[in-house]
């Protein structure tokens, strides 16, 4: 498994250390950010991008186990000027640009939950399975200039199991306006007590079944992290994308018996075909 992981990393580095082999797009995206899917090629109407990605990530939040997972990528989109409506897997949403420097987004999606079987080492035994649940995501980004070189971001996740907030600062690299290039985000994440205990709390029944200490979190700071995204056109219809995420947990989260690691990390690459 590690050999496959290293091979994927080498392939990604090869693609981006030798950019002469890649043909960059010239269309103007809704915003020129690699983390924001835009398959419209600057035109109004329907667009579709489909592909697959391979992710190497922690098995669950706080896990010290890692594994490979294949995920679908892309979405069906409809663009009308500065507005894009999209359906991506289990998420339905809208995003729009206002005054060239504001990006707003709202989507309704699903949290996958957590199952005892997510841990191959039996670390979740006795904690029970968490069901998939709906969540509403609201996001806003404010660029310092229309070129979107730097921006502030705020995101709120609202669910029946609690709420999470993310606040950060972003930096874009590259000069294309078609959504290719790369970007780096530094973020601070907070959560309320309900959301914190969903991921890292242990109630009395779970403690009796699992042998873990009963744990109740108060909420507040969850983590600080870095998120790196990149996107390039291979040709007119093919895109390659990648993401690397590192999240370092707060002291309260690290003290939870569910948090077997002080951090969460993920790296992924994939391809998307634009129809």
């Amino acid at each position: 498994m590690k050999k496959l992981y290293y091979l994927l990393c080498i392939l990604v580095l090869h693609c981006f250390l030798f950019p002469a082999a890649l043909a960059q797009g010239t269309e103007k995206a809704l915003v020129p950010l690699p983390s924001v899917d835009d398959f419209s090629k600057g035109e109004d109407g329907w667009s579709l991008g489909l592909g697959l990605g391979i992710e190497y990530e922690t098995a669950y939040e706080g896990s010290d186990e890692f594994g490979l997972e294949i995920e679908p990528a892309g979405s069906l989109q409809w663009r009308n000027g500065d507005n894009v409506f999209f359906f991506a897997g289990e998420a339905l949403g809208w995003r729009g640009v206002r005054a060239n420097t504001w990006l707003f987004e709202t989507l309704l999606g699903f949290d996958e939950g957590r199952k005892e079987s997510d841990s191959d080492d039996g670390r979740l035994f006795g904690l029970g399975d968490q069901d998939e649940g709906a969540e509403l995501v609201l996001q806003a980004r404010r660029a310092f200039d229309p070129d979107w070189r730097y921006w502030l971001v705020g995101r709120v996740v609202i669910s029946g199991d609690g709420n999470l907030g993310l606040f950060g600062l972003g930096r874009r690299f590259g000069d294309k306006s078609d959504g290719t290039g790369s970007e780096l985000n530094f973020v601070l994440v907070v959560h309320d007590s309900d959301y914190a205990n969903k991921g890292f709390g242990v109630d009395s029944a779970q403690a009796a079944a699992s042998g873990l200490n009963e744990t109740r979190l108060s909420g507040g700071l969850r983590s600080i992290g870095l998120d790196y995204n990149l996107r390039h056109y291979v040709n007119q219809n093919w895109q390659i994308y990648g993401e690397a995420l590192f999240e370092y947990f707060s002291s309260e989260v690290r003290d939870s018996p569910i948090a077997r690691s002080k951090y969460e990390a993920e790296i992924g690459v994939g391809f998307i075909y634009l129809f």
Side-chain angles (χ1 to χ4, degrees):
M1 183 176 295
K2 288 185 177 179
K3 290 183 179 179
L4 179 57
Y5 167 62
Y6 293 141
L7 178 60
L8 290 173
C9 292
I10 291 172
L11 288 174
V12 173
L13 289 174
H14 176 78
C15 288
F16 299 115
L17 288 176
F18 298 96
L22 302 178
Q24 300 293 330
T26 58
E27 301 85 2
K28 185 176 181 180
L30 186 68
V31 287
L33 301 181
S35 62
V36 180
D37 288 342
D38 186 348
F39 306 137
S40 68
K41 298 183 179 180
E43 299 179 357
D44 286 354
W46 291 100
S47 59
L48 175 64
L50 294 176
L52 287 175
I54 301 178
E55 298 178 350
Y56 184 74
E57 60 184 352
T58 49
Y60 57 90
E61 293 181 338
S63 174
D64 58 358
E65 304 169 54
F66 286 79
L68 285 171
E69 186 172 355
I70 298 177
E71 295 279 356
S75 66
L76 175 65
Q77 303 177 349
W78 184 74
R79 180 169 179 173
N80 181 19
D82 290 332
N83 300 280
V84 172
F85 298 87
F86 59 91
F87 175 72
E90 296 182 323
L92 181 66
W94 161 86
R95 64 176 63 102
V97 173
R98 298 295 181 268
N100 293 323
T101 56
W102 282 97
L103 173 67
F104 297 100
E105 181 175 283
T106 178
L107 68 87
L108 181 64
F110 289 91
D111 176 21
E112 296 179 354
R114 187 185 67 199
K115 300 184 181 300
E116 290 187 358
S117 60
D118 288 343
S119 173
D120 293 334
D121 295 339
R123 301 286 178 81
L124 299 176
F125 177 76
L127 296 180
D129 294 342
Q130 295 178 352
D131 296 331
E132 184 180 80
E135 58 184 23
L136 177 66
V137 181
L138 306 174
Q139 179 176 230
R141 302 195 200 192
R142 174 64 164 89
F144 295 143
D145 58 64
D147 193 41
W148 284 84
R149 188 62 59 191
Y150 295 92
W151 66 87
L152 299 174
V153 59
R155 183 186 306 152
V156 177
V157 179
I158 304 170
S159 72
D161 296 314
N163 307 303
L164 176 143
L166 178 149
F167 308 93
L169 172 68
R171 166 75 159 94
R172 180 173 75 92
F173 304 93
D175 299 319
K176 299 291 184 179
S177 61
D178 57 3
T180 61
S182 62
E183 69 179 72
L184 181 67
N185 293 270
F186 174 78
V187 298
L188 180 147
V189 186
V190 297
H191 51 195
D192 63 17
S193 60
D194 289 338
Y195 201 99
N197 285 288
K198 181 188 84 167
F200 299 100
V202 181
D203 61 29
S204 57
Q206 291 173 322
S210 66
L212 300 177
N213 293 330
E214 185 174 348
T215 303
R216 177 72 183 176
L217 281 70
S218 61
L221 178 64
R222 172 190 175 91
S223 64
I224 58 174
L226 290 172
D227 182 19
Y228 178 75
N229 290 269
L230 54 85
R231 188 180 301 268
H232 277 262
Y233 276 99
V234 177
N235 56 40
Q236 186 176 0
N237 296 101
W238 285 98
Q239 287 185 355
I240 182 172
Y241 68 90
E243 180 179 16
L245 171 69
F246 178 82
E247 182 180 8
Y248 188 78
F249 294 126
S250 67
S251 59
E252 185 183 40
V253 172
R254 297 198 306 269
D255 289 340
S256 166
I258 296 178
R260 303 283 181 167
S261 175
K262 297 179 180 180
Y263 63 89
E264 182 173 356
E266 173 185 325
I267 184 171
V269 295
F271 295 90
I272 295 177
Y273 182 81
L274 279 61
F275 291 86

